[in-house]
Amino acid sequence: MATDTVFPPGFLWGSATSAYQIEGSPLADGAGPSIWERFVHTPGLTIGGDTGDVACDHYRRWREDVALMARLGMQAYRFSIAWARVLPEGRGRVNAKGLDFYSHLVDELLAHGITPMATLFHWDLPAALDDRGGWLNPDIAHWFADYGEVMFKALDGRVRHWATLNEPWVVTDGGYLHGALAPGHRSLYEAPIAAHHLLRAHGAAVQRYRAVGRHQIGLVVNLEPKYAASESPADQAATRRAHAYMNGQYLDPVFLGRYPEELREIFGNAWPQWPAADFDLIRQKLDFIGFNYYTRSVTRDDPGAWPVRAGRVIQKLGTYTETGWEVFPQGLTDTLAWIRERYDNPPVYITENGAAFYDPPVAADGRVRDPLRIDYLRRHLLALRDAIRAGSDIRGYMAWSLMDNFEWSLGFAKRFGLVHVNYGTLERTPKDSAHFYSRVVASNGAALHEEI
Ligand code: BGC
Protein backbone atom coordinates (compact mmCIF):
# COMPACT_ATOMS: atom_id res chain seq x y z
CA MET A 1 0.00 0.00 0.00
CA ALA A 2 1.07 3.51 -0.79
CA THR A 3 1.56 4.71 2.79
CA ASP A 4 4.68 2.61 3.32
CA THR A 5 6.59 4.93 1.05
CA VAL A 6 5.52 8.14 2.74
CA PHE A 7 8.58 10.14 3.78
CA PRO A 8 9.07 11.78 7.20
CA PRO A 9 7.06 14.94 7.89
CA GLY A 10 8.90 18.07 6.77
CA PHE A 11 10.97 16.13 4.21
CA LEU A 12 12.06 18.67 1.58
CA TRP A 13 11.55 17.79 -2.09
CA GLY A 14 13.21 19.79 -4.83
CA SER A 15 15.67 19.90 -7.68
CA ALA A 16 19.16 21.24 -8.24
CA THR A 17 21.24 23.17 -10.77
CA SER A 18 24.53 25.07 -10.75
CA ALA A 19 25.38 28.55 -11.94
CA TYR A 20 27.74 27.91 -14.84
CA GLN A 21 25.64 25.02 -16.14
CA ILE A 22 22.45 27.04 -16.61
CA GLU A 23 22.92 30.80 -16.35
CA GLY A 24 24.66 31.91 -19.56
CA SER A 25 25.65 35.61 -19.87
CA PRO A 26 28.83 34.80 -17.91
CA LEU A 27 30.28 38.31 -18.17
CA ALA A 28 27.05 40.30 -17.88
CA ASP A 29 26.58 43.26 -15.54
CA GLY A 30 30.21 43.55 -14.50
CA ALA A 31 30.89 39.87 -13.68
CA GLY A 32 34.49 38.68 -13.84
CA PRO A 33 35.52 35.62 -15.85
CA SER A 34 35.75 32.24 -14.13
CA ILE A 35 38.09 29.37 -14.88
CA TRP A 36 35.26 27.71 -16.80
CA GLU A 37 34.99 30.75 -19.06
CA ARG A 38 38.65 30.25 -19.94
CA PHE A 39 38.43 26.48 -20.16
CA VAL A 40 35.51 26.36 -22.61
CA HIS A 41 37.11 28.99 -24.84
CA THR A 42 40.27 26.91 -25.22
CA PRO A 43 39.84 24.79 -28.37
CA GLY A 44 39.43 21.07 -27.87
CA LEU A 45 38.56 20.99 -24.19
CA THR A 46 34.78 20.47 -24.42
CA ILE A 47 32.86 18.13 -26.70
CA GLY A 48 31.71 19.95 -29.80
CA GLY A 49 33.39 23.14 -28.54
CA ASP A 50 30.26 23.77 -26.44
CA THR A 51 30.38 26.66 -23.97
CA GLY A 52 28.23 28.09 -21.20
CA ASP A 53 27.94 31.43 -23.02
CA VAL A 54 24.18 30.96 -23.33
CA ALA A 55 23.54 27.63 -21.57
CA CYS A 56 19.84 27.72 -20.53
CA ASP A 57 19.81 31.51 -20.47
CA HIS A 58 18.63 31.31 -16.89
CA TYR A 59 20.36 34.61 -16.08
CA ARG A 60 17.61 36.26 -18.12
CA ARG A 61 14.81 33.72 -17.73
CA TRP A 62 15.01 33.16 -13.97
CA ARG A 63 11.48 34.39 -13.31
CA GLU A 64 10.08 31.97 -15.86
CA ASP A 65 12.16 29.16 -14.32
CA VAL A 66 10.92 29.86 -10.81
CA ALA A 67 7.34 29.92 -12.11
CA LEU A 68 7.98 26.55 -13.77
CA MET A 69 9.31 25.08 -10.51
CA ALA A 70 6.21 26.34 -8.75
CA ARG A 71 3.95 24.77 -11.38
CA LEU A 72 5.74 21.47 -10.86
CA GLY A 73 5.14 21.76 -7.12
CA MET A 74 8.81 21.90 -6.11
CA GLN A 75 9.31 22.70 -2.45
CA ALA A 76 13.02 23.53 -2.63
CA TYR A 77 15.62 24.65 -5.13
CA ARG A 78 19.34 24.06 -4.80
CA PHE A 79 21.35 26.53 -6.88
CA SER A 80 24.90 27.84 -6.79
CA ILE A 81 26.27 31.36 -6.73
CA ALA A 82 28.83 32.40 -9.34
CA TRP A 83 31.61 33.81 -7.15
CA ALA A 84 32.90 36.03 -9.99
CA ARG A 85 29.51 37.68 -10.49
CA VAL A 86 29.60 38.89 -6.91
CA LEU A 87 33.36 39.50 -6.63
CA PRO A 88 34.68 39.99 -10.18
CA GLU A 89 38.29 39.73 -8.96
CA GLY A 90 37.40 36.98 -6.51
CA ARG A 91 38.11 39.25 -3.53
CA GLY A 92 37.79 42.89 -2.60
CA ARG A 93 35.27 44.90 -4.61
CA VAL A 94 31.65 43.68 -4.55
CA ASN A 95 29.66 43.94 -7.79
CA ALA A 96 26.21 45.03 -6.61
CA LYS A 97 24.49 43.88 -9.79
CA GLY A 98 25.84 40.36 -9.42
CA LEU A 99 24.67 40.21 -5.83
CA ASP A 100 21.26 41.56 -6.84
CA PHE A 101 20.75 38.72 -9.28
CA TYR A 102 20.85 36.16 -6.46
CA SER A 103 18.94 38.38 -4.09
CA HIS A 104 16.08 38.71 -6.60
CA LEU A 105 16.18 35.00 -7.33
CA VAL A 106 15.83 34.21 -3.62
CA ASP A 107 12.94 36.67 -3.25
CA GLU A 108 11.18 35.13 -6.20
CA LEU A 109 11.63 31.61 -4.82
CA LEU A 110 10.27 32.63 -1.44
CA ALA A 111 7.34 34.42 -3.06
CA HIS A 112 6.46 31.07 -4.66
CA GLY A 113 6.89 29.15 -1.41
CA ILE A 114 10.11 27.46 -2.58
CA THR A 115 12.94 26.99 -0.06
CA PRO A 116 16.26 28.25 -1.46
CA MET A 117 19.39 26.13 -0.82
CA ALA A 118 22.53 28.02 -1.84
CA THR A 119 25.94 26.55 -2.67
CA LEU A 120 28.84 29.01 -2.58
CA PHE A 121 31.14 27.15 -4.95
CA HIS A 122 30.18 24.81 -7.76
CA TRP A 123 33.50 24.76 -9.66
CA ASP A 124 33.47 28.24 -11.29
CA LEU A 125 36.47 29.76 -9.53
CA PRO A 126 37.11 33.43 -10.41
CA ALA A 127 39.89 33.50 -13.03
CA ALA A 128 41.61 36.32 -11.11
CA LEU A 129 42.14 33.90 -8.23
CA ASP A 130 43.41 31.19 -10.54
CA ASP A 131 46.02 33.72 -11.66
CA ARG A 132 47.20 33.69 -8.06
CA GLY A 133 47.36 29.92 -7.93
CA GLY A 134 43.69 29.19 -7.27
CA TRP A 135 43.23 26.23 -4.91
CA LEU A 136 47.01 25.83 -4.69
CA ASN A 137 47.40 29.12 -2.84
CA PRO A 138 46.93 28.78 0.95
CA ASP A 139 45.38 32.27 1.06
CA ILE A 140 42.32 30.93 -0.69
CA ALA A 141 40.90 29.86 2.68
CA HIS A 142 40.34 33.46 3.71
CA TRP A 143 39.41 34.62 0.19
CA PHE A 144 36.64 32.03 0.28
CA ALA A 145 35.53 32.92 3.82
CA ASP A 146 35.42 36.63 2.88
CA TYR A 147 33.28 35.82 -0.15
CA GLY A 148 31.07 33.67 2.05
CA GLU A 149 30.64 36.51 4.49
CA VAL A 150 29.41 38.82 1.71
CA MET A 151 26.77 36.25 0.77
CA PHE A 152 25.80 35.36 4.34
CA LYS A 153 25.30 39.00 5.25
CA ALA A 154 23.27 39.66 2.12
CA LEU A 155 21.07 36.56 2.16
CA ASP A 156 21.11 34.72 5.49
CA GLY A 157 17.84 36.27 6.58
CA ARG A 158 16.21 34.60 3.58
CA VAL A 159 18.42 31.57 2.84
CA ARG A 160 18.44 28.99 5.62
CA HIS A 161 20.40 26.20 3.95
CA TRP A 162 23.95 26.89 2.83
CA ALA A 163 26.63 24.65 1.39
CA THR A 164 30.26 25.66 1.11
CA LEU A 165 31.68 23.50 -1.70
CA ASN A 166 30.14 21.20 -4.26
CA GLU A 167 32.07 17.97 -4.74
CA PRO A 168 35.64 18.96 -3.83
CA TRP A 169 36.73 15.48 -4.96
CA VAL A 170 35.74 16.31 -8.54
CA VAL A 171 37.54 19.66 -8.34
CA THR A 172 40.82 17.94 -7.47
CA ASP A 173 40.43 14.74 -9.48
CA GLY A 174 39.16 16.46 -12.64
CA GLY A 175 40.79 19.86 -12.25
CA TYR A 176 44.22 19.10 -10.79
CA LEU A 177 44.98 15.37 -11.18
CA HIS A 178 43.61 14.27 -14.56
CA GLY A 179 42.91 17.64 -16.16
CA ALA A 180 39.53 16.90 -17.78
CA LEU A 181 37.87 19.80 -15.97
CA ALA A 182 38.93 23.39 -15.30
CA PRO A 183 41.58 24.50 -14.58
CA GLY A 184 42.83 21.48 -16.54
CA HIS A 185 46.01 20.62 -14.65
CA ARG A 186 47.48 17.13 -14.57
CA SER A 187 49.69 16.76 -11.56
CA LEU A 188 50.07 14.19 -8.80
CA TYR A 189 51.73 16.89 -6.73
CA GLU A 190 49.09 19.55 -7.04
CA ALA A 191 46.02 17.41 -6.36
CA PRO A 192 46.62 16.82 -2.62
CA ILE A 193 47.55 20.47 -2.11
CA ALA A 194 44.36 21.66 -3.81
CA ALA A 195 42.38 19.13 -1.73
CA HIS A 196 43.81 20.44 1.50
CA HIS A 197 43.14 24.08 0.68
CA LEU A 198 39.60 23.23 -0.40
CA LEU A 199 39.11 21.68 3.02
CA ARG A 200 40.69 24.65 4.80
CA ALA A 201 38.50 27.02 2.79
CA HIS A 202 35.44 24.99 3.71
CA GLY A 203 36.39 25.15 7.40
CA ALA A 204 37.11 28.88 7.26
CA ALA A 205 33.74 29.57 5.61
CA VAL A 206 31.87 27.50 8.22
CA GLN A 207 33.69 29.35 10.98
CA ARG A 208 32.71 32.67 9.39
CA TYR A 209 29.14 31.49 9.05
CA ARG A 210 28.97 30.79 12.78
CA ALA A 211 30.02 34.40 13.36
CA VAL A 212 27.54 36.07 11.00
CA GLY A 213 24.87 33.47 10.06
CA ARG A 214 22.06 31.92 12.05
CA HIS A 215 20.83 28.93 10.09
CA GLN A 216 22.35 25.77 8.60
CA ILE A 217 25.54 25.09 6.71
CA GLY A 218 27.05 21.91 5.29
CA LEU A 219 29.39 20.43 2.70
CA VAL A 220 28.29 18.68 -0.51
CA VAL A 221 30.24 15.56 -1.48
CA ASN A 222 29.83 12.96 -4.20
CA LEU A 223 30.23 9.45 -2.85
CA GLU A 224 30.42 6.24 -4.83
CA PRO A 225 30.44 2.93 -2.99
CA LYS A 226 33.19 0.55 -4.02
CA TYR A 227 32.51 -3.18 -4.10
CA ALA A 228 35.44 -5.54 -4.61
CA ALA A 229 35.27 -7.52 -7.87
CA SER A 230 36.66 -10.61 -6.12
CA GLU A 231 37.96 -11.83 -2.80
CA SER A 232 41.56 -11.72 -3.97
CA PRO A 233 43.79 -9.68 -1.63
CA ALA A 234 44.81 -7.49 -4.58
CA ASP A 235 41.20 -6.58 -5.46
CA GLN A 236 40.35 -6.04 -1.79
CA ALA A 237 43.29 -3.69 -1.36
CA ALA A 238 42.40 -1.80 -4.57
CA THR A 239 38.85 -1.40 -3.28
CA ARG A 240 40.12 0.03 0.00
CA ARG A 241 42.31 2.50 -1.88
CA ALA A 242 39.50 3.57 -4.22
CA HIS A 243 37.11 3.98 -1.30
CA ALA A 244 39.57 6.04 0.73
CA TYR A 245 40.41 8.22 -2.26
CA MET A 246 36.86 8.99 -3.27
CA ASN A 247 34.75 8.65 -0.13
CA GLY A 248 37.13 9.27 2.77
CA GLN A 249 39.40 11.99 1.38
CA TYR A 250 37.04 14.82 2.32
CA LEU A 251 34.69 13.44 4.96
CA ASP A 252 37.37 11.90 7.20
CA PRO A 253 39.19 15.23 7.73
CA VAL A 254 35.87 17.05 8.24
CA PHE A 255 34.42 14.55 10.72
CA LEU A 256 37.44 12.73 12.14
CA GLY A 257 40.19 15.33 11.78
CA ARG A 258 42.54 13.17 9.67
CA TYR A 259 43.07 11.82 6.17
CA PRO A 260 42.64 8.11 5.43
CA GLU A 261 46.00 6.28 5.62
CA GLU A 262 45.60 4.90 2.09
CA LEU A 263 46.12 8.37 0.59
CA ARG A 264 49.78 8.29 1.55
CA GLU A 265 50.12 4.98 -0.31
CA ILE A 266 48.34 6.41 -3.37
CA PHE A 267 50.23 9.70 -3.59
CA GLY A 268 53.64 8.49 -2.40
CA ASN A 269 56.22 11.29 -2.44
CA ALA A 270 53.57 13.74 -3.53
CA TRP A 271 51.70 13.38 -0.24
CA PRO A 272 52.45 16.46 1.93
CA GLN A 273 52.64 16.78 5.72
CA TRP A 274 50.21 19.35 7.07
CA PRO A 275 50.29 21.21 10.39
CA ALA A 276 47.99 19.65 13.00
CA ALA A 277 46.29 23.03 13.51
CA ASP A 278 44.90 22.82 9.96
CA PHE A 279 42.68 19.97 11.07
CA ASP A 280 41.16 22.10 13.83
CA LEU A 281 40.11 24.54 11.13
CA ILE A 282 38.84 21.79 8.83
CA ARG A 283 36.90 19.93 11.51
CA GLN A 284 34.07 22.41 12.07
CA LYS A 285 30.75 21.16 13.29
CA LEU A 286 28.35 20.87 10.33
CA ASP A 287 24.57 21.03 10.28
CA PHE A 288 24.28 18.50 7.46
CA ILE A 289 26.09 16.60 4.71
CA GLY A 290 24.91 17.11 1.16
CA PHE A 291 25.31 13.77 -0.60
CA ASN A 292 25.32 13.54 -4.41
CA TYR A 293 24.71 9.97 -5.55
CA TYR A 294 24.89 8.65 -9.09
CA THR A 295 26.46 5.19 -9.28
CA ARG A 296 28.75 2.54 -7.76
CA SER A 297 32.00 0.97 -8.82
CA VAL A 298 32.86 -2.72 -8.82
CA THR A 299 36.57 -2.46 -8.28
CA ARG A 300 39.58 -4.53 -9.24
CA ASP A 301 43.30 -4.12 -8.91
CA ASP A 302 44.64 -2.36 -12.00
CA PRO A 303 48.30 -1.33 -11.87
CA GLY A 304 47.80 0.79 -15.01
CA ALA A 305 45.10 3.00 -13.49
CA TRP A 306 47.19 5.92 -12.28
CA PRO A 307 47.50 6.74 -9.43
CA VAL A 308 44.97 4.74 -7.38
CA ARG A 309 45.68 1.47 -9.22
CA ALA A 310 42.00 0.57 -9.09
CA GLY A 311 39.87 -0.20 -12.13
CA ARG A 312 36.14 -0.46 -12.71
CA VAL A 313 34.59 -3.76 -13.84
CA ILE A 314 31.68 -3.45 -16.26
CA GLN A 315 28.71 -5.55 -15.14
CA LYS A 316 27.45 -7.77 -17.96
CA LEU A 317 23.89 -7.68 -16.65
CA GLY A 318 24.02 -4.07 -15.50
CA THR A 319 21.98 -1.16 -16.84
CA TYR A 320 24.05 1.87 -17.76
CA THR A 321 23.13 5.49 -18.25
CA GLU A 322 24.27 7.56 -21.19
CA THR A 323 27.28 8.75 -19.21
CA GLY A 324 28.28 5.10 -18.75
CA TRP A 325 27.29 4.91 -15.10
CA GLU A 326 25.72 1.72 -13.77
CA VAL A 327 22.21 2.18 -12.35
CA PHE A 328 22.59 0.80 -8.82
CA PRO A 329 20.06 2.12 -6.28
CA GLN A 330 21.25 -0.25 -3.55
CA GLY A 331 24.49 1.76 -3.50
CA LEU A 332 22.57 4.72 -2.15
CA THR A 333 21.22 2.66 0.76
CA ASP A 334 24.64 1.11 1.41
CA THR A 335 26.47 4.44 1.36
CA LEU A 336 23.96 5.98 3.72
CA ALA A 337 24.55 3.05 6.10
CA TRP A 338 28.29 3.76 5.89
CA ILE A 339 27.76 7.48 6.65
CA ARG A 340 25.51 6.57 9.56
CA GLU A 341 28.08 4.28 11.11
CA ARG A 342 31.31 6.07 10.34
CA TYR A 343 30.25 9.65 11.05
CA ASP A 344 27.67 9.14 13.78
CA ASN A 345 24.49 9.59 11.77
CA PRO A 346 24.65 13.23 10.73
CA PRO A 347 21.63 14.86 9.04
CA VAL A 348 21.86 14.32 5.26
CA TYR A 349 20.27 15.97 2.28
CA ILE A 350 20.49 14.13 -1.02
CA THR A 351 21.67 17.18 -2.94
CA GLU A 352 21.91 15.49 -6.36
CA ASN A 353 20.65 12.27 -7.90
CA GLY A 354 19.62 11.68 -11.47
CA ALA A 355 20.62 10.31 -14.86
CA ALA A 356 21.32 11.20 -18.47
CA PHE A 357 19.52 9.04 -21.00
CA TYR A 358 18.81 9.41 -24.70
CA ASP A 359 15.51 11.26 -24.54
CA PRO A 360 13.22 11.30 -27.55
CA PRO A 361 12.45 14.72 -29.03
CA VAL A 362 9.39 16.61 -27.86
CA ALA A 363 6.46 14.73 -29.44
CA ALA A 364 3.62 16.31 -31.40
CA ASP A 365 1.45 16.02 -28.28
CA GLY A 366 4.01 18.08 -26.34
CA ARG A 367 5.28 15.16 -24.25
CA VAL A 368 8.84 13.94 -23.73
CA ARG A 369 8.59 10.26 -22.88
CA ASP A 370 11.51 9.33 -20.62
CA PRO A 371 10.55 6.09 -18.85
CA LEU A 372 14.15 5.20 -18.00
CA ARG A 373 14.55 8.38 -15.94
CA ILE A 374 11.25 7.70 -14.16
CA ASP A 375 12.46 4.21 -13.34
CA TYR A 376 15.80 5.60 -12.12
CA LEU A 377 14.11 8.14 -9.84
CA ARG A 378 11.59 5.68 -8.50
CA ARG A 379 14.17 3.03 -7.65
CA HIS A 380 16.53 5.50 -6.01
CA LEU A 381 13.74 7.01 -3.94
CA LEU A 382 12.72 3.55 -2.76
CA ALA A 383 16.36 2.90 -1.85
CA LEU A 384 16.38 6.18 0.06
CA ARG A 385 13.23 5.13 1.89
CA ASP A 386 15.04 1.93 2.92
CA ALA A 387 17.89 4.00 4.40
CA ILE A 388 15.43 6.13 6.36
CA ARG A 389 13.81 2.97 7.72
CA ALA A 390 17.22 1.72 8.74
CA GLY A 391 17.75 4.88 10.79
CA SER A 392 19.48 7.42 8.51
CA ASP A 393 18.56 11.02 9.23
CA ILE A 394 17.57 12.15 5.72
CA ARG A 395 16.08 15.61 5.49
CA GLY A 396 15.41 16.09 1.78
CA TYR A 397 16.02 15.08 -1.83
CA MET A 398 17.08 17.32 -4.74
CA ALA A 399 16.78 15.72 -8.17
CA TRP A 400 19.60 16.47 -10.62
CA SER A 401 18.65 18.39 -12.52
CA LEU A 402 15.74 20.78 -12.81
CA MET A 403 16.49 21.11 -16.52
CA ASP A 404 18.88 19.88 -19.20
CA ASN A 405 22.06 21.91 -19.01
CA PHE A 406 25.75 22.30 -19.80
CA GLU A 407 27.39 19.08 -18.66
CA TRP A 408 30.91 20.52 -18.28
CA SER A 409 33.45 19.04 -20.69
CA LEU A 410 30.71 16.82 -22.16
CA GLY A 411 28.87 19.91 -23.40
CA PHE A 412 25.15 19.77 -24.12
CA ALA A 413 25.08 16.19 -25.39
CA LYS A 414 24.14 14.67 -22.03
CA ARG A 415 20.68 15.56 -20.75
CA PHE A 416 20.02 15.14 -17.02
CA GLY A 417 16.93 17.36 -16.81
CA LEU A 418 13.44 16.71 -15.56
CA VAL A 419 12.64 19.52 -17.97
CA HIS A 420 13.74 19.35 -21.60
CA VAL A 421 15.51 22.42 -22.97
CA ASN A 422 15.49 23.13 -26.68
CA TYR A 423 18.92 24.72 -27.16
CA GLY A 424 17.77 26.45 -30.34
CA THR A 425 14.71 28.23 -28.95
CA LEU A 426 15.49 27.77 -25.22
CA GLU A 427 11.95 26.56 -24.74
CA ARG A 428 11.39 24.46 -21.62
CA THR A 429 9.18 21.35 -21.76
CA PRO A 430 8.63 19.22 -18.67
CA LYS A 431 9.41 15.58 -19.46
CA ASP A 432 7.19 12.74 -18.23
CA SER A 433 9.69 12.35 -15.37
CA ALA A 434 8.96 15.92 -14.23
CA HIS A 435 5.25 15.12 -14.01
CA PHE A 436 5.99 11.85 -12.23
CA TYR A 437 8.26 13.66 -9.76
CA SER A 438 5.56 16.29 -9.17
CA ARG A 439 3.17 13.55 -8.13
CA VAL A 440 5.78 12.03 -5.84
CA VAL A 441 6.38 15.41 -4.22
CA ALA A 442 2.68 16.17 -3.85
CA SER A 443 2.05 12.79 -2.19
CA ASN A 444 5.27 12.88 -0.09
CA GLY A 445 6.36 9.65 -1.74
CA ALA A 446 3.10 7.71 -2.02
CA ALA A 447 3.07 8.05 -5.82
CA LEU A 448 6.23 5.94 -6.05
CA HIS A 449 3.85 2.98 -6.26
CA GLU A 450 1.67 4.22 -9.08
CA GLU A 451 1.54 2.37 -12.40
CA ILE A 452 3.04 4.34 -15.24
C1 BGC B 1 27.92 17.68 -10.49
C2 BGC B 1 27.03 18.30 -11.54
C3 BGC B 1 26.99 17.40 -12.76
C4 BGC B 1 26.43 16.06 -12.35
C5 BGC B 1 26.28 15.06 -13.48
C6 BGC B 1 27.81 16.19 -10.36
O1 BGC B 1 29.09 15.65 -10.31
O2 BGC B 1 27.78 18.34 -9.25
O3 BGC B 1 27.50 19.58 -11.82
O4 BGC B 1 26.26 17.96 -13.80
O5 BGC B 1 27.25 15.48 -11.39
O6 BGC B 1 27.51 14.71 -14.00
Side-chain angles (χ1 to χ4, degrees):
M1 207 348 247
T3 49
D4 69 347
T5 45
V6 169
F7 281 69
F11 190 85
L12 207 53
W13 297 94
S15 63
T17 63
S18 90
Y20 191 77
Q21 293 181 272
I22 63 164
E23 288 178 355
S25 308
L27 302 178
D29 297 329
S34 75
I35 55 172
W36 272 93
E37 170 72 4
R38 290 181 172 178
F39 192 82
V40 301
H41 287 289
T42 306
L45 297 186
T46 63
I47 290 186
D50 287 349
T51 75
D53 289 359
V54 176
C56 305
D57 199 27
H58 171 79
Y59 190 74
R60 298 191 303 174
R61 294 168 193 248
W62 54 278
R63 278 183 204 282
E64 185 190 315
D65 289 335
V66 174
L68 175 62
M69 282 183 239
R71 278 202 301 285
L72 292 172
M74 300 282 181
Q75 300 169 351
Y77 176 50
R78 172 176 179 250
F79 63 96
S80 79
I81 296 159
W83 185 344
R85 285 200 195 282
V86 180
L87 295 161
E89 289 89 37
R91 44 189 207 136
R93 185 177 60 87
V94 173
N95 174 35
K97 283 190 174 163
L99 195 56
D100 283 353
F101 172 72
Y102 297 104
S103 180
H104 293 150
L105 174 66
V106 164
D107 284 345
E108 191 76 3
L109 289 165
L110 293 172
H112 285 79
I114 299 170
T115 300
M117 302 182 84
T119 300
L120 290 175
F121 176 73
H122 197 127
W123 308 355
D124 45 358
L125 186 73
L129 298 184
D130 194 49
D131 291 340
R132 294 171 179 270
W135 293 109
L136 301 174
N137 186 329
D139 289 344
I140 200 161
H142 65 252
W143 299 339
F144 186 62
D146 290 348
Y147 155 56
E149 182 171 339
V150 171
M151 298 315 308
F152 303 148
K153 284 187 168 155
L155 300 182
D156 192 53
R158 293 169 282 159
V159 173
R160 289 160 185 239
H161 300 80
W162 293 91
T164 54
L165 310 171
N166 179 72
E167 301 188 352
W169 180 84
V170 175
V171 176
T172 54
D173 186 78
Y176 289 88
L177 184 64
H178 295 295
L181 302 174
H185 300 192
R186 184 175 162 81
S187 164
L188 187 69
Y189 291 83
E190 290 182 1
I193 298 174
H196 194 69
H197 295 325
L198 278 154
L199 281 164
R200 289 178 52 253
H202 157 78
V206 174
Q207 226 174 31
R208 197 69 66 88
Y209 186 71
R210 299 301 176 208
V212 301
R214 285 176 295 118
H215 302 100
Q216 300 202 352
I217 193 158
L219 170 70
V220 175
V221 288
N222 57 309
L223 305 173
E224 188 182 286
K226 310 290 179 185
Y227 303 86
S230 81
E231 303 210 327
S232 79
D235 286 350
Q236 299 280 332
T239 304
R240 277 196 299 277
R241 285 194 301 277
H243 172 67
Y245 175 58
M246 189 156 179
N247 302 324
Q249 184 171 193
Y250 291 90
L251 290 184
D252 272 12
V254 164
F255 283 95
L256 310 178
R258 56 178 154 77
Y259 285 108
E261 271 307 309
E262 291 84 354
L263 295 183
R264 193 183 302 276
E265 188 190 335
I266 293 168
F267 286 97
N269 289 341
W271 186 249
Q273 280 295 340
W274 300 107
D278 283 5
F279 294 91
D280 298 337
L281 176 63
I282 291 168
R283 195 181 183 182
Q284 301 292 318
K285 171 138 180 44
L286 296 187
D287 300 306
F288 64 88
I289 299 183
F291 170 20
N292 296 350
Y293 179 75
Y294 288 94
T295 189
R296 71 156 168 182
S297 160
V298 176
T299 306
R300 69 180 171 90
D301 183 48
D302 178 357
W306 178 84
V308 185
R309 291 177 287 117
R312 193 182 290 263
V313 179
I314 300 299
Q315 300 304 293
K316 283 207 186 87
L317 298 178
T319 312
Y320 286 81
T321 71
E322 205 199 325
T323 45
W325 300 341
E326 188 189 356
V327 178
F328 194 72
Q330 179 66 38
L332 177 59
T333 320
D334 292 352
T335 307
L336 286 165
W338 174 75
I339 292 177
R340 206 164 62 226
E341 283 151 26
R342 187 166 180 87
Y343 304 120
D344 201 16
N345 204 12
V348 174
Y349 285 90
I350 303 303
T351 34
E352 288 180 28
N353 176 237
F357 290 110
Y358 287 104
D359 294 330
V362 181
D365 61 3
R367 278 177 60 188
V368 178
R369 291 170 171 80
D370 60 341
L372 295 178
R373 187 171 293 100
I374 292 178
D375 184 59
Y376 183 101
L377 290 174
R378 183 209 302 270
R379 290 171 58 204
H380 283 79
L381 284 166
L382 290 172
L384 184 61
R385 188 68 187 89
D386 289 346
I388 295 172
R389 281 210 190 106
S392 287
D393 182 1
I394 315 291
R395 305 284 175 93
Y397 175 89
M398 305 297 127
W400 184 269
S401 174
L402 171 65
M403 56 187 154
D404 295 337
N405 58 47
F406 178 74
E407 180 56 19
W408 307 109
S409 47
L410 302 180
F412 293 104
K414 308 291 180 229
R415 292 176 175 271
F416 277 87
L418 297 173
V419 173
H420 175 272
V421 177
N422 176 325
Y423 293 117
T425 62
L426 294 165
E427 193 183 342
R428 279 83 160 125
T429 307
K431 303 176 190 176
D432 281 2
S433 58
H435 298 301
F436 167 73
Y437 188 57
S438 288
R439 296 192 294 276
V440 171
V441 173
S443 62
N444 197 27
L448 289 171
H449 282 307
E450 73 184 26
E451 296 296 325
I452 299 297

